[in-house]
Amino acid sequence: MYEILVVSIIYWLSLLAIFIWLNRRVAALKERIAFLEAGRDEKGGVKGKR
């Protein structure tokens, strides 16, 4: 019975870690898309005028 509890905890913690990682990736992607839609690069400069 104890082994089932340990495996279950490991399973749910790994799922939580995957969802947190994916959430960070999506947030970074949304930020990059916002920069591109505004016509600016990630450093704040106007794209194409370096």
Side-chain angles (χ1 to χ4, degrees), residues 10 17-18 24 27 33 37 40-41 48:
I10 292 171
I18 290 170
R24 289 184 177 190
I33 289 171
E37 285 179 345
R40 299 188 175 274
D41 61 8

Side-chain angles (χ1 to χ4, degrees), residues 18-32:
I18 290 170
F19 282 122
I20 289 172
W21 178 76
L22 284 174
N23 188 28
R24 289 184 177 190
R25 297 290 296 173
V26 168
L29 183 61
K30 285 182 181 179
E31 185 178 352
R32 182 167 168 79

